Structures are given as C-alpha cells and as structure tokens.
Amino acid sequence: MQIVKPPKIQMDDVPLNRFHIKIAGLTFGAHFIDGYVLGQIGFALTQMTPQMGLSSFWQGMLGSSALIGLFIGSLFLGHISDFIGRQKIFCFSFIIITIGTFSQFFIETPLELFLLRIFIGIGLGGDYSVGHTMLAEISPRKHRGILLGSFSVIWTFGYVAANFLGHYLTYIDPNAWRWLLMSASLPAFIILLLRIGTPESPRWLMKKGRYEEANTIIKKYFGTNVILNDEYSERKAISFFALFSPQYRQRTLFNSLFFICLVIPYFAIYTFLPSILNIMGLNQSFSTDLLLNFILIIGALLGIVLTQTFSRRGFLIYSFIFLAICLGLLSFIPEQQTLVMLMLFAAFTLVLSAVSNLVGVFPAESFPTKMRALGVGFATSMSRLGSAIGTGLLPIAILSFGMQSTMLILTGILASGAIISILWAPETKDLSLVEASDISVP
C-alpha cells in the first residue's frame, strides 16, 4: 500500500495553531504594559505634584519620559535584533521593564523617576520592534491583520486598567502613587518567565544561513510538511541607511510619518484629557472617564474587524479624513453646545482607537525579513519621538495660543496624515512576507 505524503505548504499559509496564539499572547503583554505605564502617570502626578512641589516643567518631563525611552529603545534594540536575533531581545526587554517598574516605588526625586521611566520606555520600545516583527514573521497571512491589529486592543485595555486603578488608589492613601507605579512589575515579571524558552524566528535563522535550525523549528511548531521559501540570498548585515535607499525610503517615510500623525493627537489629547475636557466645558468625572474608556475599547475591537474587512490603505485614508473633520469642528463649536461636543468627541475617540490598529500592521507588513525589525523599530521610534514632543508642548500651546488654535494645529497634523497616506500608503493586505519586497502604492 502506497503511503501518500501530505502536500507541502508555505509557512505563510498554515492554519492558525496554538503556537501562533502563544506568541501573540506573549507579545501582547508588552502592549498591555505600555498602555498601563502611559495611563498611570497622569494619576500619579496628581498626588506627586503637591508632595514633591513639581513644576510645570517636571510634570511635562515625567509625562513624556516613557515616550522618550520608547524612542531610544525602538531605534536601537530593533536594529540590534537584526544582528543577534529576535528571541534575545524578546526576553531582555522584559528584564528591563520588570526592574524599572519595580524600582519606581523607591524614588525620592523627580529626576530619579524621570530616568527610571526612560529606562522602562527603552525596554518597551525594544519590545515593540521585536514583538511586531516576531509575530509578523510566524503568522499566516490570512490571520496576520487580526493578530497584529490586536496590539491596539491590548494597549487600550492596559490604558483603561491604569485609569480604573488610578481612580481607586488615589482616594485611599496619599502615597498610593508609589503602589500604582510599581504595580506594573508583577505582570511584567510573569511575562518574562513565560517568554523564557521561546524559539527564534525561523525567517531570521534562514536569513543568517542557519537552515537546519530554522527547519527544525518549523517542523516542531508548524508541521513536517511546512516549508519556508524566503528572500535569503543576501546574508550580509543590513546598514541602518538601507532604510533610505531608493528601494525603501518611500515606505520608511510613509510608515514613520503616518505613525507620527496618528499618535501625536492620541497621546497629546489623552495624556492631558482631564484638563482638555474642563477647558472645553465638559465636566471631567469618573463617569465621563468610564464612557470614554468604554468607547476606546469598543473602537479598538471595531478596528480589528475593519482591518480584516477593508483594504489597509482605504481604512487609513478615510479615518484620517474623518478625524481631521471631527477635530476641526470641535475647534469651532461653542461651549454651550455640550451634547454636540460630546458626540463629536466620542466619534473622534471611537475612530482614533479603531484606526490605531494599523500602527501594528503596516510597518510589519511593509519591510522584507532582512530589515523588518529595523524598519518597524525606526517607524516606532519616530512615532514616540513625535508623541513625546507633542505631549510635552501641548500645555504650553494651550497656554500660549488657546484651546481653539491648539486643536486646529492637531487638525492640521491629521490632515497631513491623510495627504501622506493618499500619496504613499501601499496595500499590504493578503500579501505574503516574501512579497513585502515588492509592494508599491496602488
């Protein structure tokens, strides 16, 4: 009797299995921690400011400190992983995060907290680069959009969790901010333990010529009939400046600029949300926070569906246009029109949260394996640098120019994102990662 061997299938086309879900879960952990770390600082500052006599300068520096670290970590650790491997940075980043978040309990000066949060941000930034890259490199193309887009959902859950815990703890004890800041260390330590022993990316191993190791991992986790044909003829080290070569500079600029245009309004508005709501004439309370946090979660979940249903390019372009219109209208509506303002702000929040799914999808799908971590890391680092600058300057802009002019500036940033996307956004939906070498604007 003749034994029929199962047909060979590409790793891009394997069914979703438990290993995919495991790596996704471990990768999502960084985004939960990121949302949690960025969401908790606003509540911590309300208690720290009178205790430590924080000036406006230090409030701005502490509010943007983790974003500064994210810029550094995304830029350098992602590039390093192209040389030493994804898995090493995958674990090392959470050693940094665990130590940094735990140490926040013991700080005595704002400078100490500022430096610690930069340290934490470096770990988070490195994990952004490597986490997106690892998951993109093992995910089947059919499910890649959902898995990569889910980062935004998990980030939102972390941000909302920090909001709820912050509301609860700040009424218990004047020193509750220490426990709030340190609380991220427990989930970070658990994620670190679970990441130990995870395998290296087979695509990275093949790029380095370690075919036997790569095939062993593929057979163990995906099946004995699974093969991987990828663009591995070029095994020399990739220079950072390759991102700006004629072949890649357009996608480098697109991923960096659309990312920046999307996250500057996000972080600038939601870091200082209580102040903004009060200036706009909307009462800031626990119920208002509850409503907006609920909308953030609904938007993030909706974004997964929209990412999978519509073209990546179309979803991004029309979202930018919608967001710019909403924020522009909010700039001119009188304060007396409270209901209209609230509805517009809710619609803005919903779509902003939904389209934020694409920041985890586009960069990872735009670059070939040989420079994926470098490209993702650079785009992420640029976005966090823009976020840090925008977050730091927002209070100064409101004080100097007023709320209306500040909102119009943010509207201009969103409109710029729409123009950049119309000119340069590629369509990456349903592409294999081999085809990432050949993407172009439709």
Side-chain angles (χ1 to χ4, degrees):
M1 181 177 178
Q2 186 178 5
I3 299 176
V4 179
K5 294 183 178 180
K8 299 290 185 181
I9 60 173
Q10 287 286 337
M11 201 170 92
D12 272 327
D13 299 314
V14 299
L16 193 69
N17 63 27
R18 285 162 54 178
F19 178 69
H20 294 122
I21 301 301
K22 176 184 177 181
I23 295 298
L26 293 177
T27 307
F28 292 161
H31 290 260
F32 180 88
I33 298 296
D34 181 33
Y36 190 85
V37 166
L38 294 175
Q40 65 185 192
I41 189 62
F43 290 94
L45 285 174
T46 60
Q47 288 191 317
M48 291 175 60
T49 297
Q51 287 185 23
M52 294 190 172
L54 297 181
S55 63
S56 298
F57 169 80
W58 274 114
Q59 289 180 47
M61 293 298 285
L62 291 175
S64 61
S65 54
L67 293 168
I68 295 171
L70 274 155
F71 160 70
I72 298 170
S74 299
L75 189 61
F76 292 105
L77 291 183
H79 188 37
I80 291 171
S81 77
D82 278 330
F83 292 91
I84 69 173
R86 319 293 195 217
Q87 199 273 343
K88 292 182 177 64
I89 301 297
F90 200 55
C91 291
F92 176 71
S93 61
F94 260 81
I95 294 175
I96 293 177
I97 295 166
T98 302
I99 293 173
T101 50
F102 183 80
S103 300
Q104 290 178 109
F105 185 86
F106 305 99
I107 67 103
E108 297 296 336
T109 67
L111 177 60
E112 291 174 1
L113 183 58
F114 174 74
L115 295 175
L116 268 179
R117 289 184 68 80
I118 288 179
F119 183 65
I120 295 165
I122 289 172
L124 289 168
D127 202 84
Y128 258 77
S129 305
V130 176
H132 282 219
T133 299
M134 281 192 70
L135 191 55
E137 290 179 352
I138 68 157
S139 299
R141 75 178 93 187
K142 181 179 178 181
H143 303 284
R144 190 178 299 131
I146 291 179
L147 292 174
L148 293 174
S150 297
F151 284 134
S152 177
V153 179
I154 304 302
W155 187 97
T156 304
F157 273 104
Y159 180 87
V160 171
N163 271 262
F164 280 112
L165 191 60
H167 268 295
Y168 175 73
L169 287 180
T170 51
Y171 292 106
I172 293 178
D173 187 319
N175 287 312
W177 61 270
R178 293 185 182 272
W179 295 100
L180 178 63
L181 293 178
M182 188 185 72
S183 61
S185 62
L186 179 58
F189 182 64
I190 293 172
I191 293 167
L192 170 62
L193 294 179
L194 292 174
R195 285 188 173 194
I196 296 173
T198 51
E200 184 55 83
S201 164
R203 294 182 191 271
W204 182 84
L205 289 169
M206 283 199 171
K207 188 192 78 169
K208 295 297 182 181
R210 294 159 62 176
Y211 303 112
E212 186 175 341
E213 293 175 63
N215 286 320
T216 298
I217 292 172
I218 291 170
K219 286 178 171 57
K220 179 178 180 181
Y221 293 102
F222 304 107
T224 56
N225 63 323
V226 178
I227 58 174
L228 175 60
N229 293 328
D230 221 328
E231 69 287 4
Y232 301 111
S233 58
E234 184 179 1
R235 288 169 51 185
K236 65 181 181 180
I238 301 297
S239 166
F240 172 83
F241 297 102
L243 288 173
F244 300 96
S245 65
Q247 183 178 3
Y248 297 113
R249 64 186 170 212
Q250 180 173 302
R251 70 186 76 179
T252 299
L253 290 172
F254 161 69
N255 280 288
S256 301
L257 292 175
F258 105 80
F259 210 155
I260 289 172
C261 291
L262 202 57
V263 299
I264 283 181
Y266 197 125
F267 285 113
I269 290 173
Y270 286 94
T271 298
F272 299 101
L273 184 61
S275 300
I276 290 174
L277 291 178
N278 287 331
I279 294 173
M280 292 170 63
L282 299 173
N283 292 327
Q284 201 277 328
S285 63
F286 180 74
S287 59
T288 306
D289 273 352
L290 181 64
L291 173 62
L292 292 176
N293 285 324
F294 178 73
I295 293 173
L296 280 172
I297 291 175
I298 295 299
L301 293 171
L302 178 64
I304 294 179
V305 178
L306 297 177
T307 299
Q308 194 70 5
T309 304
F310 298 110
S311 71
R312 312 274 201 254
R313 175 180 164 85
F315 181 25
L316 183 66
I317 291 171
Y318 289 112
S319 294
F320 265 127
I321 294 172
F322 181 86
L323 291 170
I325 292 172
C326 281
L327 204 56
L329 290 174
L330 278 168
S331 304
F332 291 102
I333 292 177
E335 290 184 11
Q336 294 79 6
Q337 301 292 327
T338 305
L339 181 59
V340 177
M341 292 181 70
L342 187 59
M343 290 175 64
L344 271 174
F345 200 83
F348 176 85
T349 300
L350 182 74
V351 175
L352 183 61
S353 181
V355 74
S356 293
N357 281 265
L358 290 180
V359 303
V361 177
F362 259 123
E365 291 184 339
S366 295
F367 294 96
T369 300
K370 61 186 177 183
M371 56 194 307
R372 184 165 296 116
L374 179 59
V376 172
F378 182 80
T380 304
S381 68
M382 291 299 101
S383 75
R384 286 338 188 219
L385 177 61
S387 301
I389 294 172
T391 302
L393 292 180
L394 185 74
I396 299 173
I398 293 175
L399 184 63
S400 302
F401 308 118
M403 176 60 75
Q404 183 183 65
S405 296
T406 301
M407 291 296 105
L408 287 175
I409 291 171
L410 294 177
T411 300
I413 291 173
L414 290 168
S416 299
I419 295 170
I420 290 164
S421 300
I422 291 170
L423 293 175
W424 289 342
E427 184 50 66
T428 61
K429 187 177 182 180
D430 297 326
L431 289 179
S432 73
L433 292 189
V434 178
E435 294 167 322
S437 300
D438 305 312
I439 60 172
S440 59
V441 178

